[in-house]
Amino acid sequence: MQDFVKILGLKHRREVAGKSAIFSGEHFVLEETDWYLLNLFRLWWHYGISFLRLQMWVEEVMEKFMRIYKYQAHGYAFSSLEELLRSLGGEAFVNMTQRSVAESLLEVGVTQRFVDDVIAAVLRSSYGQSVLVPAFAGAMSLAGAQGSTWAVEGGNKLVCSGLLKLTKANVISARVTGISLHRSEGRALYQVHYESPEGQGSAFYDLVVLTTPLHPSRSNFTFDNFDPPIADLPGSFQPSVTSVVHGYLNSSYFGFPDPKLFPFTSILTTDTPELFFHTMDNICPVNVSAAFRRKQPQEAAVWRVLSPRPLDKPQLKTLFRSYYSVQVAEWPTYPRYDAAKALPPVVLHESLFYLSGVEWVASSMEMTAVAAKNVALLAYNRWHQQLDKIDQKDLMHKVKTEL
């Protein structure tokens, strides 16, 4: 994302300091302070060296994952997600999509208590799911939680709109309803059907990239004249609800009768059945001026609450003493991860490619960007018959010899 920000001339949004804590439903199991050494001491006191073993595990995964940028810089592409993962970390990376993050961490010496408290809280805040998510998705989520994440001044949506403008693409504002297969001079030709405010239309393309999930709960268009037919992919999506609440936090619920003493701006939660929300945080504007300061804890502020279901009035009253407004957005955000399922294909037909399958490896802006470049390189290499750039083995050696 940082590369996109530089290309588009966007600015990094100024960070606003704040402390986090993990809530069990009854008390805070871990609290962040203003002092780095004290935070390390608390981690060691509660969990021993589990946090160091976690960091080493995540760093090893990320070091291997970063190889993809070298491969793509040299024009290499992969026809399946499995091949992409093998090129980075061998069969171990493929296996990480089939076993849980909890199992993998316990194997490297992370304690069960650390998994239940810290790992569960991070995964609930990112994916809204438990420590049973696949290890690779878990590693990506934990990597993002360990460092400061980038935010763009004006909103991250400017990355997408800026890249679209930079490509000078001919954008048709319409909803695609179906794709039908035709033939022209021995090559596949795809007719894309769509509906717009002006009516129905269609256009023919040599290459098509699908970026919408091909699952029964999300897919609402058809494939015609394909033999064998292109079927819906198995799997479903995790529903998530975001509630943006402008109000006064009920600090007593979190064990602070005096709201002036409440020190946290972000509250994560453990996997406790009684808890009705995953995380909540005091959010800042998309434009943060040098003079901006967070509201005092006893003042009304804007909080974002992530939950598996819409919050009812008693639940809102539990979290807030009173509130002025509540805005709710509900949508299927991430795959409902199931370690037993196979990964979706990248190639659906000769020149029909599928991008969104990468979400089943791990879901993030960076993973989507990597998958998009892989599809672009794959389509280019296949079109120009550069087969030596597709699914090559021992790429680290090849890249070194090309330098």
Side-chain angles (χ1 to χ4, degrees):
M1 181 173 174
Q2 296 183 36
D3 291 337
F4 294 150
V5 170
K6 294 176 182 177
I7 292 172
L8 300 173
L10 302 175
K11 296 181 180 179
H12 181 203
R13 192 188 73 169
R14 190 174 70 89
E15 294 183 12
V16 182
K19 295 189 287 290
S20 302
I22 299 175
F23 187 59
S24 70
E26 297 181 352
H27 62 277
F28 287 109
V29 298
L30 189 63
E31 302 177 17
E32 187 180 14
T33 72
D34 290 322
W35 295 279
Y36 176 74
L37 291 178
L38 180 55
N39 292 334
L40 288 180
F41 175 77
R42 286 187 171 184
L43 282 169
W44 172 79
W45 183 259
H46 287 289
Y47 307 108
I49 61 172
S50 286
F51 70 97
L52 291 176
R53 287 174 172 159
L54 167 68
Q55 189 170 16
M56 292 171 62
W57 181 76
V58 171
E59 286 180 354
E60 181 182 358
V61 173
M62 292 306 299
E63 183 180 354
K64 293 178 179 178
F65 172 76
M66 296 299 284
R67 295 172 179 174
I68 189 63
Y69 297 107
K70 290 184 179 180
Y71 299 164
Q72 292 185 336
H74 286 75
Y76 289 104
F78 306 93
S79 62
S80 71
L81 295 171
E82 289 87 351
E83 285 299 321
L84 188 152
L85 290 171
R86 285 190 186 98
S87 74
L88 302 176
E91 289 299 327
F93 265 27
V94 178
N95 292 337
M96 286 178 68
T97 67
Q98 305 296 316
R99 62 203 308 254
S100 73
V101 63
E103 183 182 355
S104 296
L105 289 176
L106 291 173
E107 275 191 4
V108 298
V110 174
T111 64
Q112 185 68 56
R113 183 184 177 190
F114 189 80
V115 169
D116 293 340
D117 288 357
V118 180
I119 306 303
V122 172
L123 294 177
R124 281 167 64 85
S125 68
S126 57
Y127 290 134
Q129 298 174 62
S130 73
V131 295
L132 298 180
V133 304
F136 197 91
M140 295 294 110
S141 176
L142 292 164
Q146 287 189 7
S148 59
T149 54
W150 268 70
V152 174
E153 183 178 330
N156 289 343
K157 66 178 183 180
L158 295 179
V159 175
C160 299
S161 60
L163 287 173
L164 185 61
K165 184 178 180 180
L166 189 66
T167 62
K168 299 179 181 179
N170 177 30
V171 180
I172 301 174
S173 298
R175 183 181 70 87
V176 176
T177 58
I179 299 175
S180 56
L181 174 64
H182 301 269
R183 288 284 174 182
S184 175
E185 298 179 355
R187 282 192 171 185
L189 192 62
Y190 304 99
Q191 185 178 12
V192 178
H193 305 271
Y194 56 85
E195 292 179 350
S196 68
E198 290 74 30
Q200 296 183 345
S202 67
F204 288 90
Y205 299 93
D206 295 308
L207 301 169
V208 174
V209 179
L210 291 171
T211 61
T212 185
L214 295 178
H215 301 271
S217 61
R218 299 289 299 275
S219 177
N220 56 359
F221 62 89
T222 59
F223 296 95
D224 295 320
N225 301 330
F226 287 88
D227 186 20
I230 298 175
D232 284 333
L233 300 175
S236 59
F237 281 74
Q238 175 76 16
S240 181
V241 179
T242 300
S243 302
V244 178
V245 184
H246 180 206
Y248 297 88
L249 183 71
N250 180 18
S251 58
S252 295
Y253 173 64
F254 300 102
F256 287 81
D258 186 350
K260 294 180 181 179
L261 301 179
F262 190 81
F264 307 116
T265 58
S266 180
I267 305 167
L268 291 75
T269 60
T270 59
D271 196 358
T272 305
E274 292 76 19
L275 283 170
F276 52 87
F277 69 100
H278 290 148
T279 183
M280 61 185 299
D281 56 306
N282 184 327
I283 59 177
C284 300
V286 293
N287 293 303
V288 179
S289 65
F292 177 81
R293 296 291 184 273
R294 289 187 186 273
K295 297 285 188 179
Q296 294 298 311
Q298 72 273 18
E299 297 178 316
V302 179
W303 290 81
R304 176 180 56 190
V305 185
L306 304 182
S307 58
R309 289 170 291 278
L311 301 175
D312 56 30
K313 286 188 176 180
Q315 291 170 337
L316 285 168
K317 283 293 186 181
T318 298
L319 297 177
F320 299 93
R321 289 183 287 124
S322 62
Y323 50 89
Y324 295 107
S325 64
V326 181
Q327 297 183 7
V328 180
E330 181 177 2
W331 75 99
T333 50
Y334 298 108
R336 192 186 297 275
Y337 287 110
D338 183 348
K341 293 190 181 299
L343 297 176
V346 172
V347 182
L348 297 175
H349 193 256
E350 294 174 19
S351 297
L352 178 60
F353 304 96
Y354 182 46
L355 177 60
S356 297
V358 74
E359 286 194 278
W360 296 86
V361 176
S363 186
S364 68
M365 288 183 67
E366 184 170 9
M367 288 296 296
T368 301
V370 166
K373 187 163 186 178
N374 178 65
V375 166
L377 290 170
L378 180 62
Y380 179 89
N381 292 337
R382 286 168 66 106
W383 185 265
H384 293 283
Q385 292 296 303
Q386 297 182 3
L387 303 183
D388 59 328
K389 291 288 187 178
I390 301 174
D391 295 338
Q392 291 298 305
K393 310 299 181 184
D394 195 21
L395 271 184
M396 280 301 294
H397 176 72
K398 290 180 183 293
V399 168
K400 287 179 181 178
T401 57
E402 290 178 12
L403 292 176

